Amino acid sequence: MPHSNGNPVDTSQLLKGVLDLAVLAVLADHDSYGYEVLRQLRNSGLDGVGDASVYGTLRRLYQAGALKSYVVPSVEGPYRKYYGLNDRGRSALVQSSKTWGSLTRALEHLLNGRSKANAK
Amino acid sequence: MPNSSQANDVASYATAVRAALAALPDAERESLLEDLEDHLAEVASESDLSLDERLGKPEDYAAELQSAYGAGNDLSSTKRNRPFRERTAALLKTALGNLPYSNMRSFLPELRPGWWVLRAYLAVLFLALVFRDGSNLTPIPNPFTSGGLLQIVATVIAIGISVRLGRRALPANRGWRWAVVGLNVTIALLALPTLASMGTGSNDYSYDYSPDPYLSAASAGYVPGVTNIYPYSRDGKPLKDVLLYDQDGRPVVPDKTDIVIDVPNGADGLPIPNAYPLNERHATGDLIMPPRVALPPSQTSMPTPSPTATPSP
C-alpha cells in the first residue's frame, strides 16, 4: 500500500525504519501472532503500516534469530503462528531503544532549531 | 470457520503472491512465505471484504513483503551481508559469464588434485629451506645424501596426507573453512621466497659485474677461487691483455671479489672481462701489485722474480 499522497517524504520509508523496533516493542508485552501485531500497531497510532510489512518484518526477525515461534490451534479459524521475544530479541530491543532515543533527541533538536529560526 | 469462498480467495491470493516472488531463491521464498496461507486466512476471517480490497493487489503485497523482509535495519549481521554478497555474486556472474574464463572455470576443479600434490611438495621444500642448508636447495633433492633422501620421503608422505585431506569436503564450520583456505594461501605465499632462494644459491658464484649478457655466469667459464691470472711467455716475459677462453670458447672470467677491476673496452665499447692480467685496484685506488712468481728455468733468459706491468729487463 503506497502512502505517498503527494508528500515528497515517503512516510512508508520512515515507518519501515522503525518497524523492527515497533514490532519488538509489541512482542515485548506478550507473545502475539501476525494479524494481532498489526492491529496493535494500528491501535497505537501507526495507521500507515501495511499488513505485508508487518508479516515480512516478523519473518525476517524470526530468521535473524530474534524471535521464537510456535503454533497454537485456534478454536475457530486457522492455526495461529505466535511470535515472542527470545534473549536475542530482548537485547536487540534494549539496544534499538537506545539508538531510537538518541535519534529522536537529535531530530527534535534539529527540528526545534529550525522552527525557532523560522519564528525569528 | 472460514467459508469456502474465503478459502478460495486465500488460495488464489497466496498463489499470486508466490508467483510475484518467483525471482527469490526457493529457500528464501519458502522461509518468508511459510505460513502465508494461515496469515491470509486470519486476515480474511476478520471481514467479508475480499483480500484484494483489504490488502491491495497481490503484486503490491508481494513487493511490500519483500522489502520488509529483505531491507531495513536487521539484527543479524549475516542477514545484512546477504543482499550485498548476492549482488556481488550476481555482478561477478554476469561479468564473467561471457568470457572464456567460464570455460576455464569449469576446468579448474579438475586441477585441484594437482594443487594437492604441489602444495605438499612446496610445504616440504619450505621446511627443507628452514631446517637444511638452504643454499643447496634443488628442485629434486639428491637421494644419495641423507638430507635429500629424508626430503624425498617427507615429500611423498606429505603428498599422501595432502591428497587425503583434499579429497575430504571443506569443513562446514565457517571458521575452519577460512583456516583451510588461509593455510593454502600461506603455503602458496611461502613458496615464493623458497623458490626464489633456489636461484640465489648459485648466484653466490655468478659473475655479474658486466651488464653484457654474453658474459653472464651462464655463458662464461669461470674458475672458482681464481681472481686473477698472470700470463708469462715461455721466456719469462709478463704478457699483457691476453684474452683467455675455455674449452667451449667461452671467455674465462675470474671469481668475483670485492676488488675493483679496470676492465678494458673493446672497439665496440663493450668491456672485455677476460683480458689478463686484470688491472686490480684497492679500494683506495692504488693498483694491486702482481705476485712474485717462480718461473721455470729458461735457456734464454733469467727468471724474473718480480714481474711487473712494465716490460721486463
Side-chain angles (χ1 to χ4, degrees), chain A residues 54-117:
Chain A
V54 172
Y55 179 76
T57 301
L58 280 171
R59 292 307 298 164
R60 178 162 46 79
L61 290 174
Y62 173 70
Q63 285 295 319
L67 301 182
K68 60 185 178 184
S69 159
Y70 50 91
V71 171
V72 173
S74 72
V75 185
E76 86 288 356
Y79 279 54
R80 282 176 180 152
K81 183 165 263 184
Y82 273 73
Y83 294 95
L85 297 190
N86 56 21
D87 289 346
R88 196 164 173 192
R90 267 186 287 277
S91 71
L93 175 60
V94 170
Q95 212 174 350
S96 300
S97 306
K98 282 181 192 157
T99 313
W100 174 249
S102 60
L103 197 65
T104 43
R105 273 195 299 281
L107 261 170
E108 267 166 20
H109 186 71
L110 261 175
L111 294 171
N112 285 341
R114 292 260 336 135
S115 59
K116 275 174 198 159

Side-chain angles (χ1 to χ4, degrees), chain A residues 1 16-17 19-20 24 33-35 39 49-57 59-64 66 75-81 83 88-89 92 96, chain B residues 1-2 30-43 45-46 54-56 60-62 64-65 67-77 79:
Chain A
M1 275 184 273
K16 208 159 86 180
L19 201 51
D20 283 19
L24 287 174
Y33 57 95
Y35 194 58
R39 259 196 312 234
V49 182
D51 177 73
S53 296
V54 172
Y55 179 76
T57 301
R59 292 307 298 164
R60 178 162 46 79
L61 290 174
Y62 173 70
Q63 285 295 319
V75 185
E76 86 288 356
Y79 279 54
R80 282 176 180 152
K81 183 165 263 184
Y83 294 95
R88 196 164 173 192
S96 300
Chain B
M1 289 298 286
E30 266 327 293
S31 82
L32 168 58
L33 302 180
E34 199 178 87
D35 56 346
L36 178 70
E37 277 83 357
D38 289 347
H39 178 75
L40 291 176
E42 187 79 43
V43 176
S45 66
E46 283 284 307
R54 300 208 41 208
L55 301 174
D60 294 341
Y61 187 89
E64 192 182 333
L65 202 56
S67 103
Y69 182 69
N73 45 352
D74 207 322
L75 299 164
S76 149
S77 59
K79 283 280 158 184

Side-chain angles (χ1 to χ4, degrees), chain B residues 13 50 111 129 136 145 149:
Chain B
Y13 197 90
S50 75
L111 289 182
L129 175 73
N136 59 21
T145 62
L149 189 63

Side-chain angles (χ1 to χ4, degrees), chain B residues 41-281:
Chain B
E42 187 79 43
V43 176
S45 66
E46 283 284 307
S47 141
D48 288 335
L49 289 172
S50 75
L51 285 175
D52 265 40
E53 286 165 296
R54 300 208 41 208
L55 301 174
K57 278 192 192 143
E59 292 76 23
D60 294 341
Y61 187 89
E64 192 182 333
L65 202 56
Q66 190 180 353
S67 103
Y69 182 69
N73 45 352
D74 207 322
L75 299 164
S76 149
S77 59
T78 53
K79 283 280 158 184
R80 193 169 9 189
N81 286 341
R82 181 182 276 177
F84 172 73
R85 265 161 63 189
E86 278 175 6
R87 254 181 296 149
T88 316
L91 200 68
L92 269 177
K93 206 173 160 189
T94 46
L96 301 173
N98 299 327
L99 296 176
Y101 172 76
S102 62
N103 287 334
M104 211 180 90
R105 226 181 87 107
S106 58
F107 167 64
L108 277 179
E110 296 178 31
L111 289 182
R112 274 162 58 200
W115 166 243
W116 298 338
V117 172
L118 185 62
R119 70 181 177 190
Y121 169 78
L122 291 175
V124 173
L125 203 61
F126 174 72
L127 292 179
L129 175 73
V130 172
F131 292 110
R132 297 183 64 203
D133 181 9
S135 64
N136 59 21
L137 209 59
T138 50
I140 296 176
N142 183 351
F144 298 103
T145 62
S146 61
L149 189 63
L150 181 70
Q151 192 181 334
I152 289 176
V153 171
T155 304
V156 170
I157 293 173
I159 288 173
I161 295 172
S162 170
V163 170
R164 180 170 276 227
L165 286 177
R167 287 168 64 92
R168 282 178 28 185
L170 274 176
N173 182 303
R174 212 162 220 266
W176 279 111
R177 193 181 308 202
W178 280 111
V180 167
V181 171
L183 200 62
N184 277 284
V185 171
T186 306
I187 291 175
L189 289 180
L190 285 178
L192 294 179
T194 309
L195 294 176
S197 75
M198 277 188 179
T200 55
S202 61
N203 272 0
D204 294 344
Y205 305 105
S206 73
Y207 169 81
D208 56 2
Y209 73 76
S210 164
D212 191 341
Y214 100 101
L215 297 171
S216 68
S219 66
Y222 68 88
V223 193
V226 174
T227 59
N228 205 345
I229 295 168
Y230 293 92
Y232 288 86
S233 64
R234 180 67 182 88
D235 57 2
K237 280 183 189 153
L239 303 175
K240 279 184 71 184
D241 291 337
V242 177
L243 303 184
L244 296 184
Y245 295 87
D246 69 5
Q247 70 285 349
D248 297 322
R250 299 175 302 178
V252 172
V253 295
D255 207 351
K256 197 174 153 190
T257 62
D258 313 327
I259 298 166
V260 184
I261 303 170
D262 293 340
V263 184
N265 285 337
D268 56 359
L270 291 175
I272 306 170
N274 59 333
Y276 294 92
L278 301 167
N279 291 315
E280 295 178 316
R281 290 177 185 278

